[in-house]
């Protein structure tokens, strides 16, 4: 039978897109392979479904697979599948026109894309699909036979406006796409696609988890033997991809070892995952996800250039590693895979940032990770402890940025406290232990547990048996300002504002005003004398042992926070604090008497300086002029020996 070859024209928009491909400067030319494999995989999916629905369909589905053949001599690369195939009309309709969902958009953008950069962007943005073959081939031949039909179709084009179609009598069922490769040009990112090694590594990189076998012909050579047998060369088909799309399998069908192996593979990790989170969502935004919480924090968790994010797949085709858009930054330790159902294979980062679907997925993943941590906290306390030690500091960043999940974040957080040296506490546990009449959650924030425990601010709380949270992570200074309360209880710093420990207070109102009167003169004078350092001097209710301490206003910036902000390059107004005196301390009482009897004595001014300096040192602060302080102190000491 003579072939009847028909020449047809591409639809206008298709022609434009083809033109872009043929003259492409797009650097990721390798992606043609992933597009063709993705089409083949879709075709196999379709055939399996069709055979299932239509029992009369006469097809063999026992060995569905994809095959890649390299012909070095002819410089061709063929991607073959025994999937659903296409009729002649389908070939013309699907391949000859732009059958994309986003056609209107593509059309507009094609009109606008006048220069190379714009077209590169365009290729990057839209599913480039079958036409991407023309980035690497100057002629493409497609031979296809639809499942259940006897005749086949050959389609051929140089990507220049026209293509030919011809009926063919016999061809294997399915589709074979043969690329007549352009010459290698590494400067143009055009690699040697006749290299078995190159193709193999591209398959591994982009299509490893395709659930159908991708086979390649390999030559096996067995050397000549001494007893005279000649060298033998056999050709064998080898499966290149692992096909292990674990995220598509139900949890109870996958072993822990498989999950662990997979985690190590995709996260490039060496530890075992602490938690495996398989997810499947149906409905408007269909996706499957498999997330892991590692058991060890990577060394670069707090470095700017760390690789974070999960892998993004679209229908089992690898799209990108480190997709940051799928989880908030405070969950950057989570590893895994998200496989979305309805997304362009060539989706770009710019698109991802805007995409409604990505945003919806991100919300769901976030909630799921947090609820998993909550479950772990309830059911596996030891694992939760490990988690908190490794990632607690990162998770708390969420208190600054994720208002929607604030309550959940507070619930799964735990903190060191004066209640126990070893066991951290949750806020709920703290609230349960609160004393009668206590209506605030007290905390101290600073650099180390030791420093906080010995700070004068804690004295009265210790003396009166109030539990105080000891917050020592840099982020603590910030979130405590943004989270006003937990369970209706205000968070109150022991070093800020006025504290009301009146439930325990021994001094009565009358005694109190008596003291105020006795000290009025001293307080006034100190305020003036130390006006370079403090804005107010008052009597304290929080001191039992130390003579004095420094307090920040309720809404003021603590020195530690100021240091942090300064370190991150922000300018912070320097803020004066409040000096609080312990009227029961001999030094303060003595100072009051000395001031009453010899008010003008310059020695008293030095005592005031020393008092201020001591208060600063006691809380772990740094003196403005350490040499002056040391001089004054040495002089005093000399007089006492
Ligand atoms: P997309 O895959 O996003 O639809 P493509 O340009 O990759 O876009 O492919 C266009 C259409 O051509 C596909 O939707 C499919 O119907 C058809 N097609 C492409 N390759 C094959 C194949 N190997 N087997 C069957 N149909 C195919
Ligand atoms: Mg495609």
């Amino acid at each position: 039978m003579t072939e009847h070859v028909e020449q047809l024209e591409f639809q206008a928009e298709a022609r434009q897109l083809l033109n872009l491909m043929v003259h492409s400067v797009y650097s990721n030319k390798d992606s043609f392979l992933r597009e063709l494999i993705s089409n083949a995989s879709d075709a196999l999916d379709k055939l399996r479904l069709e055979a299932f629905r239509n029992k009369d369909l006469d097809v063999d589905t026992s060995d569905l697979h994809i095959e890649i053949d390299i012909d070095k001599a002819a410089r061709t690369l063929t991607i073959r599948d025994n999937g659903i195939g296409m009729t002649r009309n389908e070939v013309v309709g699907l391949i000859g026109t732009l059958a994309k969902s986003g056609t209107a958009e593509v059309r507009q953008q094609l009109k606008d894309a006048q220069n190379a950069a714009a077209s590169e962007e365009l290729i990057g943005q839209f599913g480039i699909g079958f036409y991407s073959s023309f980035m690497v081939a100057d002629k493409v031949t497609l031979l296809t036979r639809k499942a259940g039909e006897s005749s086949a179709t050959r389609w051929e084009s140089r990507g220049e406006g026209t293509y030919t179609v011809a009926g063919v009598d016999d061809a294997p069922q399915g589709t074979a796409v043969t690329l007549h490769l352009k010459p290698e040009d590494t400067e143009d990112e055009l690699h040697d696609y006749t290299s078995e090694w190159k193709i193999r590594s591209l398959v591994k990189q982009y299509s490893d988890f395709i659930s159908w076998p991708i086979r390649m012909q390999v030559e096996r050579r067995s050397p000549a033997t001494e007893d005279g047998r000649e060298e033998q060369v056999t050709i064998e088909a080898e499966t290149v991809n692992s096909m292990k799309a674990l995220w598509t399998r139900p949890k109870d069908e996958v072993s822990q070892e498989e999950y662990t192996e997979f985690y190590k593979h995709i996260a490039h990790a060496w530890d075992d995952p602490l938690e495996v989170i398989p997810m499947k969502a149906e409905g408007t935004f269909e996706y499957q996800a498999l997330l892991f919480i590692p058991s060890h924090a990577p060394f670069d968790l707090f470095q700017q250039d760390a690789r974070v994010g999960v892998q993004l797949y679209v229908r089992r085709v690898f799209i990108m590693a480190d997709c940051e858009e799928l989880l908030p930054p405070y969950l950057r330790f989570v590893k895994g895979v998200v496989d979305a159902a309805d997304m362009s294979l060539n989706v770009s980062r710019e698109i991802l940032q805007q995409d409604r679907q990505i945003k919806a997925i991100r919300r769901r993943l976030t909630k799921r990770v947090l609820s998993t941590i909550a479950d772990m906290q309830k059911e596996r306390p030891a694992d939760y402890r490990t988690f908190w030690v490794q990632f607690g500091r990162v998770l708390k960043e969420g208190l600054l940025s994720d208002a929607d999940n604030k309550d959940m974040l507070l619930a799964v957080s735990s903190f060191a406290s004066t209640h126990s040296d070893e066991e951290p506490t949750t806020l709920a546990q703290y609230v349960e232990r609160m004393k009668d009449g206590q209506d605030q959650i007290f905390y101290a924030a600073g650099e180390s547990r030791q420093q906080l425990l010995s700070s004068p601010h804690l004295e009265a709380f210790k003396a009166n048996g109030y539990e105080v949270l000891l917050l020592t992570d840099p982020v603590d200074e910030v979130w405590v300002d943004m989270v006003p309360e937990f369970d209706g209880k205000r968070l109150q710093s022991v070093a800020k504002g006025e504290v009301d420990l009146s439930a325990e207070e021994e001094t009565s109102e009358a005694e109190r005003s008596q003291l105020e009167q006795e000290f009025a003169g001293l307080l006034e004078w100190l305020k003036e004398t130390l006006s370079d350092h403090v804005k107010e001097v008052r009597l304290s209710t929080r001191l039992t042992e130390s003579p004095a301490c420094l307090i920040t206003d309720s809404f003021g910036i603590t020195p530690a926070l100021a240091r942090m902000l300064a370190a991150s390059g922000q300018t912070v107004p320097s803020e004066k604090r409040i000096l609080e005196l312990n009227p029961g301390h001999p030094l303060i009482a003595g100072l009051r008497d000395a001031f009453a009897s010899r008010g003008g004595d310059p020695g008293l001014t030095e005592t005031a300086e020393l008092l201020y300096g001591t208060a600063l040192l006691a809380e772990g602060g740094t003196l403005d002029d350490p040499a002056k302080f040391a001089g004054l102190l040495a002089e005093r000491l000399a007089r006492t020996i």
Side-chain angles (χ1 to χ4, degrees), residues 35 38-39 42 129-130 345:
E35 296 290 341
S38 152
N39 285 352
D42 287 350
F130 176 79
L345 286 180

Side-chain angles (χ1 to χ4, degrees), residues 441-445 461 491-499 542 558:
I441 296 171
F442 297 117
Y443 71 86
F461 295 88
L491 282 143
Q492 168 65 49
S493 165
V494 297
K496 273 186 164 190
E498 308 257 8
V499 292
R542 62 188 107 205
T558 61

Side-chain angles (χ1 to χ4, degrees), residues 133 228 255 325 386 399 492 569 584-585:
S133 325
S255 72
E325 289 76 10
T386 305
L399 291 168
Q492 168 65 49
H585 195 281

Side-chain angles (χ1 to χ4, degrees), residues 274-291:
L274 197 58
E275 188 72 79
V276 181
I277 313 173
M279 292 176 72
K280 188 181 168 89
E282 273 150 7
T284 335
F285 297 132
E286 236 174 83
Y287 65 90
Q288 288 178 304
L290 180 56
L291 303 181

Side-chain angles (χ1 to χ4, degrees), residues 349-614:
R349 294 220 180 247
E350 292 68 33
I351 298 253
L352 282 179
Q353 282 157 12
Q354 312 295 332
D355 195 83
R356 266 180 59 231
Q357 179 172 0
I358 291 285
K359 284 185 181 150
I361 296 178
R362 171 176 161 138
R363 270 197 300 278
R364 300 273 292 274
L365 298 189
T366 303
K367 294 224 183 290
R368 184 60 185 275
V369 171
L370 292 180
S371 70
T372 304
I373 297 169
D375 291 345
M376 197 198 311
Q377 188 182 26
K378 263 189 236 105
E379 289 149 24
R380 291 152 42 210
D383 283 348
Y384 168 74
R385 276 291 290 280
T386 305
F387 166 78
W388 191 256
V389 169
Q390 297 293 323
F391 304 113
R393 273 205 299 162
V394 188
L395 199 77
K396 281 188 287 186
E397 291 173 15
L399 291 168
L400 314 181
S401 54
D402 190 352
D404 288 349
N405 290 305
K406 192 194 74 203
D407 291 341
M408 190 62 162
L409 281 163
L410 283 176
V412 300
S413 292
S414 55
F415 308 94
S417 104
T418 53
H419 175 70
S420 159
D421 285 348
E422 283 100 42
E423 287 291 317
T425 180
T426 62
L427 291 179
Q429 289 164 339
Y430 178 104
V431 169
E432 252 171 56
R433 284 190 297 266
M434 281 185 8
K435 293 172 61 135
D436 281 347
Q438 180 183 351
D439 58 359
Q440 298 176 339
I441 296 171
F442 297 117
Y443 71 86
E447 264 140 46
S448 72
R449 183 186 180 93
Q450 201 43 49
Q451 178 212 319
L452 291 175
L453 282 177
S454 50
S455 127
H457 299 124
L458 232 60
E459 287 172 7
F461 295 88
K462 269 194 277 188
N464 291 312
Y466 285 101
E467 178 175 349
V468 176
L469 300 177
L470 304 170
L471 309 181
T472 54
D473 288 330
V475 64
D476 290 330
E477 292 276 356
V478 192
W479 75 256
V480 286
D481 280 342
M482 304 184 67
V483 176
E485 55 168 59
F486 172 80
D487 194 13
K489 318 284 187 295
R490 211 158 62 80
L491 282 143
Q492 168 65 49
S493 165
V494 297
K496 273 186 164 190
E498 308 257 8
V499 292
D500 179 18
L501 302 182
S502 51
E504 295 291 313
E505 218 161 352
E506 283 149 25
T507 36
S508 70
E509 277 296 315
E511 283 172 324
R512 188 96 213 137
S513 63
Q514 168 79 21
L515 278 174
E516 298 284 357
Q517 271 190 3
E518 282 176 26
F519 281 88
L522 177 69
L523 296 180
E524 187 65 27
W525 174 76
L526 276 174
K527 180 179 170 182
E528 213 169 286
T529 309
L530 296 174
S531 63
D532 280 354
H533 307 299
V534 299
K535 62 177 178 190
E536 196 190 329
V537 182
R538 67 188 183 207
L539 294 181
S540 181
T541 55
R542 62 188 107 205
L543 295 174
T544 57
E545 290 159 33
S546 303
C549 68
L550 288 159
I551 299 297
T552 305
D553 258 349
S554 297
F555 300 103
I557 295 177
T558 61
L561 179 55
R563 274 197 298 281
M564 252 182 64
L565 293 173
S568 69
Q570 301 180 53
T571 46
V572 274
S574 65
E575 215 171 306
K576 285 185 196 165
R577 294 201 287 161
I578 298 160
L579 182 67
E580 281 195 2
L581 305 182
N582 177 1
H585 195 281
L587 172 58
I588 303 303
L591 196 56
R592 173 198 57 197
D593 298 344
F595 176 73
S597 59
R598 45 189 172 91
D601 184 347
L604 285 182
T605 310
E606 291 174 9
T607 309
E609 285 284 343
L610 284 168
L611 185 66
Y612 169 76
T614 319

